[in-house]
Amino acid sequence: MRWLTSFLLSLVLGLATAISTTGNRVLVVLEESTEQTKYSKFWGDLESRGYKLVFESPKNDKLSLFQLGERVYDHVILLPPKSKGLGPALTPALLLKFLNTDGNIIVGLSSTSPTPTAISSLLLELDIHLPPDRTSQVVDHFNYDLLSASEKHDVLVLPQPGPLRPDVKNFFGGDGVLAFPRGVGQLLGNDSPLLAPVLRAPDTAYTYNPKDEAETVEEPFGTGSQLSLVSTLQARNSARVVVLGSVEMLEDAWFDGQVKSSNGFKKESTTANRAFAKTVSAWAFREIGVLKVGRVQHHAASDNPDTKNETGLSQVDSNPKIYRVKSDVTFSIELSEYSYDQYQPFVPPAEDEIQLEFTMLSPFYRLNLKPIATTDNSTVSSTTFTLPDQHGIFNFRVNYKRPFLTNVDEKKTVTVRHFAHDEWPRSWNISGAWVSIAGIGCTIFAWLVFVVLWLFSAPTKGGNAKKVQ
């Protein structure tokens, strides 16, 4: 009886906590154990959401990301070490293998600690470029903290980020300001659709090496909004990487610290670093921005009855393997979005659309899917269209890929046949054929008249006179 009570209690506690869709095992790579207390609030927030943290030093010989070919951890947090390397267990090749096996990584950078070669090589593989001198930091003489960086201007005070584009959902916005101390700027490759910046530097910011004694910077590594302060990458298998340009923004001192911006803000304000850190870590560990496909149906529009089930989908024999050209077809898909501890109906941004492609080699149609029903945890979207006058092998495909959302690529293959012999319309139903039909009718009528006249007309009566030579 005791074991049953313990089992039920653990089940209830497991349901009450918000756990990532990919697991709750987190490896924190921290070289100096004494620095663990600097981030106690961040660790506490992760543990309160159900994560199990394991702190290891990169110098530990027993450290390994894999055991018997399987991942030992679901997520990895890399904090900047004092040394130049991360050891044999955290090479760029092993970290890429960790990503390819559905693992997630948070990389923390700091200008006070030179970036290890393994981290630079890993980010270079992801088309994320760091300053070559490894100690450059982002400074801004117009958006700095008057309380802590009145001279060096290396603690930036920034508003929380807005949406990347009008058609992209904003997970990282909110009220308040962010303190970004002694950060490292990154340049993102232009050719990769997998990269997306979360927080960009202001237009007046630039990279600067504190060891450089020159009063001016002639050729900075990056300037303005081309510098990404917090960058993200979502691989094609939906594994996620977050690069924090300033790991110090996760420290307890900045979670509820007071800042006073030089850019017109006269009053001191409390930073929103804690809420921002929660959102960024939740996205990295796939607590938010995770889409799930439910039922996918397609059927002839004429088979759609008036009664529908609780999900809004028709109660017909759906998903047939063959259709006829020029038939009316209805397609429906059910989508859910995971948010911290439950699935909820997915609603795309107002400027965005979920589209259906009806393709052979290229799309014949690309149609917007409109929501027709909503349940407690999903949204059903549908459209009706007429198949093209082309027989062959076609695909119903929903290819929905947006920044910060997991990829949706659903494909259903069907055959489109031509008309059968008894399915063509009769000739009298075609107005253009009425002339031909009339001509045929006139010909038949004339032939019948001729036959009647031939059969019933008597021959001419002649005399019995003989021919005379």
Side-chain angles (χ1 to χ4, degrees), residues 43-324:
W43 311 138
D45 289 345
L46 291 178
E47 291 175 344
S48 66
R49 295 185 348 237
Y51 291 102
K52 298 179 180 178
L53 306 182
V54 177
F55 296 89
E56 293 288 352
S57 171
K59 300 179 181 179
N60 188 356
D61 296 335
K62 298 182 180 180
L63 176 62
S64 177
L65 297 177
F66 300 93
Q67 185 175 6
L68 300 178
E70 298 293 332
R71 284 188 292 108
V72 180
Y73 305 99
D74 303 307
H75 320 283
V76 173
I77 301 177
L78 299 174
L79 299 184
K82 302 297 183 181
S83 57
K84 296 183 179 180
L86 292 176
L90 298 173
T91 61
L94 290 175
L95 291 173
L96 287 175
K97 180 181 177 181
F98 183 78
L99 284 176
N100 292 330
T101 54
D102 215 25
N104 307 302
I105 300 176
I106 294 179
V107 179
L109 304 176
S110 176
S111 62
T112 59
S113 299
T115 305
T117 306
I119 296 298
S120 300
S121 301
L122 171 66
L123 298 183
L124 192 60
E125 291 285 342
L126 306 179
D127 208 8
I128 300 176
H129 304 268
L130 299 180
D133 51 18
R134 301 198 307 163
T135 56
S136 290
Q137 63 185 11
V138 179
V139 296
D140 191 340
H141 303 301
F142 297 90
N143 299 279
Y144 62 90
D145 182 24
L146 292 173
L147 302 179
S148 61
S150 59
E151 295 182 0
K152 295 184 178 181
H153 303 173
D154 56 356
V155 178
L156 276 60
V157 179
L158 308 172
Q160 296 206 52
L164 182 64
R165 299 194 308 259
D167 61 336
V168 174
K169 193 171 184 178
N170 184 20
F171 292 99
F172 310 99
D175 299 329
V177 295
L178 300 176
F180 194 83
R182 290 167 284 280
V184 178
Q186 310 114 48
L187 295 182
L188 306 183
N190 297 324
D191 298 332
S192 177
L194 308 178
L195 295 172
V198 172
L199 183 64
R200 289 188 179 273
D203 294 336
T204 53
Y206 63 95
T207 58
Y208 170 73
N209 189 352
K211 296 181 180 180
D212 191 355
E213 298 180 355
E215 296 182 357
T216 60
V217 180
E218 296 181 357
E219 295 182 359
F221 172 73
T223 60
S225 60
Q226 70 177 166
L227 287 173
S228 178
L229 304 180
V230 178
S231 309
T232 63
L233 176 137
Q234 181 171 260
R236 289 183 172 84
N237 63 347
S238 295
R240 292 174 172 178
V241 178
V242 172
V243 182
L244 286 173
S246 172
V247 73
E248 295 180 27
M249 69 183 304
L250 303 179
E251 294 181 359
D252 297 347
W254 294 107
F255 261 31
D256 52 3
Q258 297 292 317
V259 293
K260 185 177 180 181
S261 175
S262 62
N263 189 11
F265 296 98
K266 302 300 183 181
K267 297 182 179 180
E268 298 182 8
S269 58
T270 304
T271 63
N273 286 27
R274 188 166 195 166
F276 182 75
K278 177 183 178 181
T279 306
V280 169
S281 61
W283 184 87
F285 296 161
R286 279 185 263 183
E287 293 182 62
I288 56 177
V290 178
L291 298 183
K292 176 184 177 182
V293 178
R295 300 179 62 183
V296 179
Q297 286 187 341
H298 57 83
H299 56 83
S302 58
D303 295 338
N304 189 10
D306 295 334
T307 58
K308 296 183 179 181
N309 57 20
E310 58 186 8
T311 62
L313 299 177
S314 58
Q315 295 176 344
V316 297
D317 186 12
S318 61
N319 302 336
K321 297 296 184 182
I322 189 169
Y323 288 101
R324 193 201 68 195

Side-chain angles (χ1 to χ4, degrees), residues 163-171 346-354 400-405:
L164 182 64
R165 299 194 308 259
D167 61 336
V168 174
K169 193 171 184 178
N170 184 20
F171 292 99
F346 173 65
V347 179
E351 301 294 331
D352 193 20
E353 295 286 350
I354 304 174
Y400 187 77
K401 297 177 181 179
R402 299 293 186 272
F404 311 127
L405 292 173

Side-chain angles (χ1 to χ4, degrees), residues 1-10:
M1 188 65 181
R2 181 178 299 176
W3 67 268
L4 180 60
T5 304
S6 302
F7 173 78
L8 293 176
L9 180 61
S10 62

